[in-house]
Amino acid sequence: MDFSYISILDFLVFGILLIINIAIFLLGFIAGKIKMILLFCIASILFLALPFLNVFIVDNYINKVSLELTSAKKLVYSDSFFIAGKITNQGKQDLNKCNLYIYISSLYPLQKPEFLINLENLNLARGNSIDFSEIIDDFKFDDKYKKISIRCFK
């Protein structure tokens, strides 16, 4: 993982979730015996879910973007894939970097993306949009892709 993608808001969300987890854990000491076991179980499950909750909150509220593809297809006479579209910042902060992930395998959620496109120096302010177009060389697959997703960072 590249730590340059982590911002202060990521730490803030993680800290708030951690404080909630500790509060539930400490509440287990105050509660009765049966409630104590239940609260310890909830705190343990929440602790294991902290990283996933952090990514969910950051991607869907703080760094929320919409991706509108205008073209995503394999070029006819070469082993290249052309992708073009519009990225709209719907989040709470300005964004500078985005990663486009292209999944081809049928094991989409379980496998790493086959292609990663880094879009940098976007200067994408809140509420604004930016157009992009990229070409991926050595694309040896047919025109079928399972999913194209995007994550953006400050």
Side-chain angles (χ1 to χ4, degrees), residues 1-34:
M1 175 170 190
D2 188 359
F3 289 108
S4 66
Y5 293 143
I6 298 175
S7 70
I8 297 296
L9 289 174
D10 291 312
F11 288 117
L12 182 66
V13 168
F14 188 77
I16 290 170
L17 291 172
L18 189 62
I19 289 170
I20 291 170
N21 184 38
I22 291 170
I24 292 173
F25 187 76
L26 293 176
L27 191 62
F29 286 123
I30 298 170
K33 206 169 205 163
I34 294 176

Side-chain angles (χ1 to χ4, degrees), residues 65-112:
V65 293
S66 70
L67 174 64
E68 181 184 325
L69 293 176
T70 55
S71 179
K73 62 183 177 181
K74 186 177 189 306
L75 298 179
V76 177
Y77 296 110
S78 68
D79 287 334
S80 299
F81 187 82
F82 177 74
I83 183 168
K86 179 191 279 190
I87 302 169
T88 304
N89 184 356
Q90 299 173 338
K92 307 288 185 215
Q93 66 178 352
D94 298 343
L95 303 171
N96 291 323
K97 304 174 197 171
C98 288
N99 290 340
L100 275 171
Y101 303 98
I102 301 175
Y103 296 91
I104 296 169
S105 172
S106 60
L107 300 173
Y108 150 64
L110 303 174
Q111 191 175 10
K112 287 184 176 180

Side-chain angles (χ1 to χ4, degrees), residues 28-138:
F29 286 123
I30 298 170
K33 206 169 205 163
I34 294 176
K35 289 181 183 176
M36 179 175 73
I37 293 170
L38 179 64
L39 288 174
F40 282 148
C41 289
I42 291 172
S44 299
I45 291 169
L46 182 62
F47 183 74
L48 294 175
L50 276 176
F52 303 105
L53 288 171
N54 190 21
V55 168
F56 177 79
I57 291 170
V58 169
D59 284 352
N60 291 312
Y61 297 103
I62 297 173
N63 293 342
K64 184 176 182 179
V65 293
S66 70
L67 174 64
E68 181 184 325
L69 293 176
T70 55
S71 179
K73 62 183 177 181
K74 186 177 189 306
L75 298 179
V76 177
Y77 296 110
S78 68
D79 287 334
S80 299
F81 187 82
F82 177 74
I83 183 168
K86 179 191 279 190
I87 302 169
T88 304
N89 184 356
Q90 299 173 338
K92 307 288 185 215
Q93 66 178 352
D94 298 343
L95 303 171
N96 291 323
K97 304 174 197 171
C98 288
N99 290 340
L100 275 171
Y101 303 98
I102 301 175
Y103 296 91
I104 296 169
S105 172
S106 60
L107 300 173
Y108 150 64
L110 303 174
Q111 191 175 10
K112 287 184 176 180
E114 279 78 12
F115 295 98
L116 168 66
I117 301 172
N118 294 317
L119 304 171
E120 297 195 11
N121 300 326
L122 296 176
N123 297 325
L124 188 55
R126 286 178 281 181
N128 290 347
S129 299
I130 191 168
D131 294 323
F132 73 93
S133 63
E134 292 287 328
I135 294 179
I136 301 171
D137 294 324
D138 296 326

